[in-house]
Amino acid sequence: MEKRRTVPVKLDVDSDDATLLEDTVDEFLWAANYVTRHAFEGEYVTTSKTTLHDGTYDDVRDKTPLHSNHVQAARNKAADAAKSVVKKWKQGKKASIPHFTSPHLVYDHRTATFHDEYVSLATVDGRIEPDYVLPDEERDTPHAEYFFSDEYETTGAELHYTNGNWMLHTHCKKDVEPDTPGQDATENGTVLGVDLGVNNLAVASTGTFWTGDEFDHWRREYEKRRGDLQEHGTRWAHENMQAVGRKEEGRFKLTLHRISNELMAEARDHECSVIAFEDLTDIRERTGASWGHKWAFNRLYEYVEYKAEEYDINVEQVAPENTSRRCSECGFTHPDNRESESFECLKCGYENHSDYNAAKNIGLRYLRRNQTGDGGGASVGIALNSGTLNANGEYEPPADSVGQSGSPR
């Protein structure tokens, strides 16, 4: 079997090379979206890479200066996204035609050559050779353990532009024997737990909060505008109410896109392979949310779900029972553990924000469900602000921050 790892490597890119990378990314996204549109044009969705190649390769090559392997990578990404949509439709789930916007670019051994201190990358105008920006420590880093290890083979990479930095997510693999004969010992990686609510639209197990203040402010503002127009009762007022509704939906979609992008960045920064939400069924009844909030929760989940596909991150839902009442440290569950936004365990005394405690419990529930046979193998742990939490509730700090204070454990 194969053991795979992804190692993010920061690149030192000057302004001229950055411009070339930006142009290449733009062309790659255009190509992926062009092939995606082609896949959905006919009576049936085309998911075959060969059929999509025959129908789009020459057009894309004529219209872009992309390397031939970048054209093929864009086609593969479009085909995989189309397959995912068809799979959801067959399961009775809603899914829209994918549209790629996140700045990224897929590299293979034809378009990237990895050296000891730098990488050679193909662009729309020749190659560039940016240096790696590596940690000061030479040992006990993913770079030393996987990227520069003789045991691992570098199979390709994805280039991402995040927070003003060019990051090369290198894919490494080696052949290993399963831990148990006949059993797949593949690790699923780290889980990001996400709690949804009214006061805070989303809270991650890493301790990041996305407040609902802005959402609530504009919801009240638009309700007031519709109320004022409704009092007039004229056709003009009715048409303006519809316009207000469209503006409201547009504003909220932009907000939710921003939050979903930041959630994805949080998952990528902590190298998570799973993002776990609570089951959205009956969430309005459980949280006292409005219909507007329920719409926002579903929309946010959909945004995260389709954006996660670009990074091979799974998005799952777990049973919501008692995630707000259970202590993420000792497991004691009682209604009086939580009071509004404060959580204090009556048994062990653990204190924290109630939504943050719930986010950790959501990650733990996915972790434990996965260990009891609900899918291939045991996950490593839950991503926290610092370190991870495993299925037994044991905290493990990161190697480079032992003794660090301020973690929202």
Side-chain angles (χ1 to χ4, degrees):
M1 58 172 288
E2 292 181 348
K3 185 175 183 179
R4 297 177 178 270
R5 290 293 183 268
T6 299
V7 182
V9 181
K10 184 178 178 181
L11 300 181
D12 183 11
V13 180
D14 62 31
S15 58
D16 291 339
D17 287 350
T19 299
L20 283 175
L21 288 179
E22 289 169 2
D23 291 344
T24 309
V25 166
D26 288 344
E27 296 290 343
F28 179 81
L29 294 177
W30 181 90
N33 288 321
Y34 178 86
V35 179
T36 301
R37 290 193 299 271
H38 181 86
F40 285 83
E41 278 179 353
E43 183 178 355
Y44 300 99
V45 179
T46 303
T47 59
S48 165
K49 293 179 182 178
T50 301
T51 304
L52 287 174
H53 176 90
D54 293 341
T56 63
Y57 180 80
D58 290 340
D59 287 345
V60 175
R61 287 286 280 164
D62 289 342
K63 295 177 181 178
T64 74
L66 287 172
H67 188 286
S68 60
N69 283 57
H70 279 154
V71 175
Q72 294 173 34
R75 174 209 65 208
N76 292 343
K77 183 166 283 289
D80 291 340
K83 287 179 182 177
S84 178
V85 169
V86 171
K87 180 180 178 181
K88 290 176 183 176
W89 285 351
K90 289 181 178 179
Q91 295 172 345
K93 298 179 180 179
K94 292 182 179 180
S96 55
I97 298 177
H99 182 74
F100 303 106
T101 58
S102 178
H104 72 285
L105 183 58
V106 177
Y107 280 95
D108 61 15
H109 276 297
R110 291 286 302 277
T111 50
T113 306
F114 301 92
H115 300 277
D116 290 342
E117 297 180 353
Y118 69 94
V119 63
S120 173
L121 300 174
T123 72
V124 291
D125 187 15
R127 283 182 172 258
I128 62 171
E129 297 181 344
D131 292 334
Y132 306 131
V133 180
L134 300 172
D136 294 333
E137 300 88 352
E138 295 183 0
R139 299 179 180 179
D140 299 327
T141 66
H143 308 81
E145 188 174 357
Y146 308 120
F147 185 39
F148 294 116
S149 171
D150 292 336
E151 296 181 4
Y152 280 83
E153 173 191 0
T154 303
T155 59
E158 277 202 22
L159 182 70
H160 297 272
Y161 186 72
T162 57
N163 300 321
N165 296 313
W166 289 99
M167 301 294 297
L168 194 64
H169 292 230
T170 57
H171 304 315
C172 309
K173 73 172 185 177
K174 73 172 181 178
D175 292 327
V176 296
E177 293 296 327
D179 293 340
T180 304
Q183 180 180 357
D184 185 359
T186 303
E187 294 177 354
N188 290 333
T190 306
V191 181
L192 183 73
V194 181
D195 178 65
L196 302 177
V198 176
N199 294 332
N200 295 295
L201 283 181
V203 178
S205 58
T206 51
T208 302
F209 286 65
W210 288 272
T211 178
D213 292 347
E214 181 183 359
F215 181 89
D216 289 337
H217 166 76
W218 285 108
R219 185 169 59 86
R220 290 191 297 268
E221 180 67 22
Y222 284 118
E223 284 179 355
K224 182 178 182 300
R225 293 182 189 179
R226 281 194 296 270
D228 292 342
L229 289 168
Q230 196 168 17
E231 290 181 357
H232 291 81
T234 63
R235 179 179 177 181
W236 171 87
H238 178 72
E239 292 174 351
N240 274 270
M241 284 176 61
Q242 292 179 320
V244 168
R246 288 192 295 271
K247 289 181 180 179
E248 178 183 26
E249 183 175 351
R251 177 182 289 275
F252 290 159
K253 283 183 177 180
L254 286 175
T255 299
L256 296 170
H257 268 300
R258 174 182 58 79
I259 295 175
S260 64
N261 287 335
E262 292 173 1
L263 262 172
M264 289 306 308
E266 196 81 4
R268 297 197 309 275
D269 288 346
H270 290 80
E271 299 184 22
C272 297
S273 61
V274 177
I275 301 175
F277 289 81
E278 61 183 300
D279 192 326
L280 301 183
T281 306
D282 301 326
I283 191 172
R284 183 168 178 257
E285 290 74 11
R286 294 196 309 272
T287 63
S290 66
W291 282 110
H293 282 101
K294 178 176 171 56
W295 172 87
F297 297 152
N298 283 293
R299 183 70 68 172
L300 178 62
Y301 180 85
E302 291 171 3
Y303 288 165
V304 171
E305 190 177 34
Y306 86 74
K307 290 176 183 180
E309 292 175 2
E310 296 186 34
Y311 304 98
D312 294 325
I313 297 175
N314 293 326
V315 181
E316 304 286 347
Q317 294 185 24
V318 300
E321 285 77 17
N322 293 320
T323 53
S324 63
R325 300 174 176 180
R326 180 188 183 278
C327 177
S328 59
E329 291 288 299
C330 73
F332 179 70
T333 303
H334 195 280
D336 293 339
N337 279 348
R338 174 175 184 170
E339 183 176 350
S340 186
E341 294 189 344
S342 298
F343 184 93
E344 181 177 358
C345 180
L346 298 178
K347 182 178 180 180
C348 73
Y350 171 71
E351 296 182 49
N352 219 312
H353 194 287
S354 57
D355 293 341
Y356 175 65
N357 177 73
K360 290 204 294 180
N361 278 327
I362 289 168
L364 278 169
R365 183 154 293 172
Y366 172 81
L367 214 61
R368 288 164 177 158
R369 184 191 74 180
N370 210 42
Q371 284 190 332
T372 55
D374 197 51
S379 300
V380 172
I382 304 166
L384 305 178
N385 181 53
S386 176
T388 58
L389 190 70
N390 67 24
N392 297 322
E394 297 169 347
Y395 172 71
E396 180 180 345
D400 60 353
S401 61
V402 174
Q404 177 179 312
S405 61
S407 167
R409 267 193 66 198

